[in-house]
């Protein structure tokens, strides 16, 4: 199945405030993190949903990319 592509603007709307979806992008993939209690209201510590978090996670997160393994991939971030 081909994944739908979303622009950064479309991703920005999935921030937990403008719509119910709470999505983040990492390395070109978009994940639905809405099931996590750590992402309530679209915020996780100093990180906000609706954004590409690749740089932030690679540079200063206390965990690695495996954290996304438990979340559903909902699309690809359009480059």
């Amino acid at each position: 199945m081909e994944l739908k592509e979303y622009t950064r603007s479309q991703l920005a709307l999935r921030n937990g405030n403008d719509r119910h979806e709470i999505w983040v992008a990492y390395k070109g993939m978009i994940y639905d993190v809405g099931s996590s209690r750590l992402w309530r209201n679209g915020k996780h510590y100093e990180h906000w949903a609706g954004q590409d978090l690749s740089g932030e996670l690679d540079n200063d997160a206390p965990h690695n990319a495996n954290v996304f393994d438990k979340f559903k991939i909902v699309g690809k971030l359009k480059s």
Side-chain angles (χ1 to χ4, degrees), residues 33-49:
V33 296
S35 63
S36 172
R37 65 176 176 77
L38 299 174
W39 278 99
R40 298 284 175 202
N41 303 316
K43 186 176 182 197
H44 174 61
Y45 297 99
E46 71 276 1
H47 306 291
W48 294 92

Side-chain angles (χ1 to χ4, degrees), residues 18-52:
D18 295 313
R19 295 189 182 183
H20 292 294
E21 295 114 340
I22 302 175
W23 294 359
V24 297
Y26 179 72
K27 304 258 183 189
M29 303 311 271
I30 299 174
Y31 298 86
D32 181 349
V33 296
S35 63
S36 172
R37 65 176 176 77
L38 299 174
W39 278 99
R40 298 284 175 202
N41 303 316
K43 186 176 182 197
H44 174 61
Y45 297 99
E46 71 276 1
H47 306 291
W48 294 92
Q51 298 182 38
D52 181 357

Side-chain angles (χ1 to χ4, degrees), residues 62-76:
H63 46 68
N64 61 30
N66 292 343
V67 73
F68 289 112
D69 291 348
K70 62 185 167 194
F71 298 114
K72 179 182 175 192
I73 296 174
V74 293
K76 291 184 193 176

